[in-house]
Amino acid sequence: MLEIKDLHVCVEEDPSEEILKGVNLTINKGEIHAIMGPNGSGKSTLSKVVAGHEAYEVTQGDILYNGESILELEADERAHLGIFLAFQYPVEVPGVTNKNLLRQAYNTIAEEQGREELDPLQFEDHAREQLELVDMKEEFLERSVNAGFSGGEKKRNEIFQMAVLQPKLAFLDETDSGLDIDALKIVANGINELSGEDNATVLVTHYQRILDYVQPDHVHVMIDGKIAKSGDKDLAIKLEEKGYDWLSKDASVL
Amino acid sequence: MSETEALESMVGGEYKYGFTTDVEYEDFPTGINEDIIREISRRKDEPEWVLEFRLEAFEKWKQMEEPDWPNVEYEKPDFENIQYYSSPKKKDGKKAESLDDVDPQILETYEKLGIPLQEQKQLQGIAVDAVFDSESIFTTFKEKLAEAGVIFCSISEAIQDHPEIVKEYLGSVVPKGDNFYAALNSAVFSDGSFVYVPEDTVCPMELSTYFRINNMQSGQFERTLIICEDNSHVSYLEGCTAPQYQDNQLHAAVVELVALEDAEIKYSTIQNWYSGDEKGQGGIFNFVTKRGHCRGDNSKISWTQVETGSAITWKYPSVIMQGDNSVGEFYSVAVTNQRQQADTGTKMIHVGKNTKSTIISKGISAGESNNSYRGLVKISPRADGAQNYSVCDSMLIGQTCGAHTFPYIESANPTAKVEHEASTSRVGEEQIFYLQQRGMDEDDAISLIVNGFAKEVLQELPMEFAVEADKLLGIKLEGSVG
């Protein structure tokens, strides 16, 4: 589904600063991946680059989605293909209700994918069903997007949006950070419910603890702009015990 | 055509209204002096007292100097080079009694603007007064309104047909020497609308005036007067467009509103005058005095404005709350793009007891434009229990525009409560990326952000217009982010 090949990325404003230094990663349908790593290792950058953020420039390598390069596509065109990013810091849009944003988003994507658009009533039914998944009240739909939300509400809202938009490939950028244990369980439950045979999920995370609730098929560790090691869930447990240092040393040996 | 389509075409797109209508005008010299003013009055066949009003105003204007305190820059108009009266030639020199007498080219112009005047195409539920340069061309639904006792006609007709009412109220809210441009208007005012709603009457339709400046050399000096008697109610909307010319044109209007006891006037403006090109060439100077007087107890005057056009917008729709418990409201969205400049806001003057005012101002600047909010809240010594609540928010799009806020508060009564909130935000890359990631293209993203920002104001517009007004803001700002 997604193939990242030897991806090199720098910040557009400062081409001398390379953030990703040759990332290779393959994600297939039906899989859950976790990308872990210390601060500044390039995890968040990788998610933003896949989603098409303009502040970054790909200097080498390619990103293939279902076999085709998406590097030339705008962020909205990538969204139309079914790529979703749950933001580490969800943005506030005052005066625009969650419902309006999502209905416009849903119908734009549906139109691009040749699926049926929903009228306001149909959409409301669809959105309401998804609310239960993240344990949110109905008034949540009428609130302005993320405006005045607590940190936990913002994160849950990202999962809610994912549920409504039904993406094929979702990157969740530190959706677990800053959540108390109850919220973490809700978010994890949402992720599990939404994972299926036809879609793939990538958890970008700092901590192992969300992996107690979501079972990843693959775990990757990113250090200094590269994937330093890949493995299964045991890798995450090892990281929890030993930290990242042993890998850094490993990486420098390589 | 539905109202929504009408509004869309009124405010939409790149400037679609920059075309010129080729009509024959009555000859009239340029420049301003006493003879010119006498000639305007003579052509309009005005009674002596109107001519006196004009001449007195002219005397005052000559003593005044154009103020330079607003936060805008422009080359002062050459008043000798303006044509103060510009009327399309009429059949037998009279205002059209029926549409058959109206120049078909002018009818076509209004149709192109989305305001068809022909009976079978008229906007449902909205009466329209069409003002072309200096002249009211036609007013729809006049008879239907007359059945309810509502008078809706041009000010020129009102001077002929209802002189006693006009005489009582003209200049009673904005005195002839009020300020430089109000004095000029009082001397040379051309046409505009007149509304009179008798006691205990809810006006059965929305009233609207559509202003069109066509003539390159002419200024437009609109004069509007709305009077609401005890316990009556009216909602009025004005729309404005003009052709694209190289030179600036002057629109110096005066609008006076009078609300008596328990009366309510809602005045909405959708201003989309030509704003000049990207280099700042051409466009309308929109220098306007608008003031409402809550003369009776429990009366209410509400201004809603969506200002997207003009090279320069300079106006402060105000309310004097004289009656006890009267209410003044000002809801404004001012958008500036490219080289546009705006210095706009309001004055809320609390005179009566327990008077209440609300100011919601949303300024949006893009391109290289400059957008200022300037507002005064004044509480007089006897205005016990007066309350004001003000919110002035500015939004910046891009790095080369400016936003400024100048709030003035003068309170002479210790029981008064005045609240002021202000904020400035920038439409950021992250905000746009967030919405794009959800599937919207860049223009839709900006449109959504801007409409959310201006929501509190847009929802004050009459229902028929509110939904479609949303689109205008986005369209106005299309492509404004690199």
Side-chain angles (χ1 to χ4, degrees):
Chain A
M1 180 176 233
L2 187 77
E3 245 182 298
I4 299 174
K5 289 181 170 171
D6 189 30
L7 190 70
H8 290 254
V9 168
C10 62
V11 183
E12 196 170 40
E13 283 174 359
D14 180 12
S16 65
E17 195 193 335
E18 195 167 61
I19 302 175
L20 299 184
K21 303 170 180 174
V23 174
N24 288 289
L25 183 64
T26 301
I27 292 162
N28 297 309
K29 267 189 192 176
E31 292 178 346
I32 297 179
H33 289 240
I35 299 177
M36 306 182 72
N39 275 334
S41 58
K43 307 180 304 274
S44 283
T45 301
L46 179 66
S47 344
K48 287 187 200 165
V49 170
V50 171
H53 198 297
E54 285 180 7
Y56 301 98
E57 199 181 326
V58 174
T59 51
Q60 197 182 314
D62 207 346
I63 304 174
L64 305 179
Y65 181 76
N66 294 333
E68 290 191 40
S69 175
I70 56 169
L71 289 185
E72 294 302 314
L73 300 182
E74 297 281 331
D76 53 318
E77 295 169 310
R78 298 185 197 195
H80 300 159
L81 294 176
I83 296 173
F84 179 89
L85 171 64
F87 282 58
Q88 183 179 3
Y89 303 109
V91 177
E92 299 188 3
V93 194
V96 177
T97 61
N98 250 334
K99 188 164 78 180
N100 279 351
L101 167 77
L102 283 173
R103 189 161 68 86
Q104 199 174 334
Y106 181 95
N107 282 337
T108 307
I109 294 171
E111 192 190 350
E112 293 293 333
Q113 295 184 350
R115 285 185 288 129
E116 201 184 334
E117 293 179 41
L118 299 181
D119 68 32
L121 290 177
Q122 290 170 320
F123 178 78
E124 192 141 346
D125 288 344
H126 170 64
R128 268 199 212 124
E129 281 173 31
Q130 317 305 323
L131 276 174
E132 289 171 26
L133 197 68
V134 285
D135 195 27
M136 290 289 202
K137 296 208 175 80
E138 235 176 274
E139 61 182 41
F140 199 64
L141 289 173
E142 304 298 339
R143 286 174 65 184
S144 287
V145 180
N146 296 324
F149 284 25
S150 69
E153 282 178 321
K154 285 184 181 175
K155 296 297 176 80
R156 276 197 275 172
N157 196 21
E158 294 295 288
I159 300 300
F160 171 64
Q161 295 191 15
M162 177 170 97
V164 170
L165 299 178
Q166 301 166 327
K168 299 193 172 101
L169 172 66
F171 272 74
L172 311 183
D173 189 4
E174 308 225 1
T175 304
D176 56 330
S177 58
L179 294 181
D180 61 33
I181 192 71
D182 292 328
L184 183 70
K185 281 182 186 167
I186 290 169
V187 164
N189 178 51
I191 295 167
N192 286 328
E193 288 287 325
L194 295 169
S195 300
E197 283 179 9
D198 291 326
N199 61 14
T201 307
V202 181
L203 301 171
V204 175
T205 180
H206 223 70
Y207 308 104
Q208 191 269 337
R209 63 174 192 160
I210 192 168
L211 304 181
D212 291 341
Y213 305 98
V214 179
Q215 290 284 334
D217 302 293
H218 301 274
V219 176
H220 313 275
V221 183
M222 208 159 164
I223 291 173
D224 193 24
K226 279 184 184 174
I227 298 214
K229 197 164 184 63
S230 295
D232 58 13
K233 207 192 159 220
D234 294 340
L235 176 60
I237 293 166
K238 201 169 172 192
L239 284 171
E240 184 77 358
E241 288 165 5
K242 299 173 88 174
Y244 293 111
D245 279 355
W246 63 282
L247 278 169
S248 307
K249 281 170 204 145
D250 249 24
S252 61
V253 171
L254 292 172
Chain B
M1 177 184 277
S2 71
E3 298 91 307
T4 50
E5 284 167 353
L7 187 88
E8 216 182 347
S9 58
M10 200 154 96
V11 297
E14 303 152 35
Y15 204 70
K16 288 191 288 193
Y17 316 107
F19 64 89
T20 313
T21 311
D22 187 16
V23 291
E24 246 188 284
Y25 286 98
E26 288 181 28
D27 292 328
F28 201 87
T30 57
I32 184 161
N33 54 50
E34 206 179 300
D35 290 341
I36 292 271
I37 290 165
R38 285 182 187 280
E39 183 59 19
I40 293 171
S41 194
R42 194 189 66 79
R43 299 248 179 138
K44 296 172 92 69
D45 198 16
E46 288 172 350
E48 191 59 28
W49 64 268
V50 179
L51 176 62
E52 272 167 31
F53 180 92
R54 290 177 181 279
L55 291 173
E56 281 168 28
F58 181 58
E59 280 309 311
K60 287 181 191 283
W61 181 73
K62 281 197 295 189
Q63 313 298 322
M64 298 169 107
E65 273 184 38
E66 185 159 2
D68 52 14
W69 50 262
N71 189 24
V72 297
E73 279 173 31
Y74 62 96
E75 205 173 305
K76 296 192 177 0
D78 176 0
F79 294 100
E80 288 308 317
N81 204 19
I82 292 172
Q83 195 179 338
Y84 291 87
Y85 181 83
S86 168
S87 174
K89 275 191 177 162
K90 285 160 284 193
K91 278 188 187 167
D92 63 41
K94 282 191 180 150
K95 183 176 173 178
E97 291 288 327
S98 83
L99 282 171
D100 301 338
D101 303 330
V102 179
D103 182 337
Q105 288 223 60
I106 293 178
L107 282 183
E108 203 184 302
T109 300
Y110 280 94
E111 186 145 5
K112 258 163 111 173
L113 296 170
I115 316 290
L117 302 173
Q118 293 90 333
E119 202 167 333
Q120 63 277 18
K121 295 183 193 163
Q122 281 166 1
L123 305 174
Q124 286 312 302
I126 303 175
V128 178
D129 183 24
V131 178
F132 192 85
D133 291 326
S134 297
E135 206 75 12
S136 167
I137 299 300
F138 197 74
T139 310
T140 64
F141 292 109
K142 255 168 116 171
E143 293 75 19
K144 192 172 170 201
L145 288 166
E147 283 168 29
V150 175
I151 304 169
F152 180 41
C153 62
S154 72
I155 194 99
S156 310
E157 285 170 274
I159 287 169
Q160 302 299 334
D161 301 342
H162 310 280
E164 67 297 338
I165 311 177
V166 180
K167 199 170 176 180
E168 185 179 347
Y169 290 101
L170 187 73
S172 71
V173 185
V174 179
K176 351 183 214 301
D178 188 82
N179 65 65
F180 185 79
Y181 281 102
L184 177 64
N185 174 288
S186 300
V188 300
F189 70 87
S190 36
D191 227 338
S193 297
F194 174 79
V195 178
Y196 175 82
V197 189
E199 272 182 40
D200 303 319
T201 306
V202 174
C203 182
M205 354 175 55
E206 291 279 336
L207 305 183
S208 72
T209 301
Y210 193 89
F211 293 98
R212 174 78 179 167
I213 300 178
N214 186 60
N215 193 337
M216 184 159 75
Q217 266 201 312
S218 80
Q220 194 174 52
F221 303 91
E222 158 214 350
R223 186 97 197 182
T224 289
L225 177 59
I226 299 178
I227 301 135
C228 239
E229 291 274 8
D230 291 354
N231 197 29
S232 56
H233 187 296
V234 70
S235 170
Y236 173 94
L237 181 124
E238 63 171 345
C240 326
T241 63
Q244 267 164 280
Y245 291 128
Q246 283 278 317
D247 295 320
N248 299 108
Q249 289 161 285
L250 180 61
H251 172 82
V254 171
V255 176
E256 298 178 278
L257 313 181
V258 179
L260 299 175
E261 222 172 288
D262 298 308
E264 185 175 338
I265 301 175
K266 184 176 176 63
Y267 191 107
S268 313
T269 302
I270 293 180
Q271 185 266 109
N272 192 23
W273 296 119
Y274 177 55
S275 57
D277 64 15
E278 66 278 10
K279 294 192 190 106
Q281 275 280 333
I284 302 288
F285 288 168
N286 191 33
F287 299 165
V288 171
T289 306
K290 287 180 165 169
R291 197 172 299 156
H293 191 182
C294 287
R295 214 164 275 189
D297 293 348
N298 313 312
S299 56
K300 177 176 173 182
I301 289 178
S302 180
W303 299 100
T304 304
Q305 58 172 19
V306 178
E307 303 281 328
T308 64
S310 296
I312 301 175
T313 295
W314 179 17
K315 63 171 193 170
Y316 314 93
S318 305
V319 184
I320 300 164
M321 287 154 277
Q322 186 181 14
D324 290 345
N325 311 314
S326 59
V327 175
E329 294 176 337
F330 175 72
Y331 298 96
S332 170
V333 180
V335 186
T336 53
N337 199 352
Q338 297 179 339
R339 300 287 180 110
Q340 282 177 276
Q341 307 175 68
D343 190 320
T344 184
T346 184
K347 291 185 275 185
M348 290 293 174
I349 314 292
H350 293 257
V351 182
K353 292 184 177 38
N354 301 315
T355 45
K356 237 170 128 174
S357 65
T358 304
I359 300 171
I360 309 282
S361 164
K362 305 277 181 174
I364 300 159
S365 349
E368 292 168 71
S369 69
N370 227 333
N371 203 328
S372 302
Y373 167 83
R374 187 186 304 274
L376 169 68
V377 175
K378 188 171 180 172
I379 317 270
S380 80
R382 72 169 197 86
D384 293 338
Q387 285 180 47
N388 163 267
Y389 174 65
S390 304
V391 181
C392 303
D393 295 331
S394 309
M395 179 175 264
L396 301 164
I397 302 177
Q399 306 292 332
T400 50
C401 54
H404 316 269
T405 306
F406 306 98
Y408 306 86
I409 298 169
E410 296 170 18
S411 180
N413 187 311
T415 66
K417 252 201 204 154
V418 178
E419 280 178 78
H420 180 89
E421 291 172 23
S423 77
T424 302
S425 56
R426 192 179 287 280
V427 176
E429 219 174 45
E430 288 305 312
Q431 226 174 359
I432 293 171
F433 175 60
Y434 187 67
L435 296 177
Q436 277 194 293
Q437 210 300 307
R438 298 301 182 253
M440 273 157 250
D441 66 29
E442 192 171 80
D443 285 335
D444 284 348
I446 292 171
S447 175
L448 201 70
I449 293 165
V450 166
N451 278 305
F453 175 72
K455 188 179 182 180
E456 285 161 281
V457 175
L458 297 177
Q459 67 194 13
E460 291 298 323
L461 285 173
M463 262 262 281
E464 295 87 334
F465 299 101
V467 184
E468 296 303 318
D470 279 17
K471 290 185 185 159
L472 143 72
L473 300 177
I475 292 163
K476 177 77 192 177
L477 294 166
E478 250 171 41
S480 58
V481 172

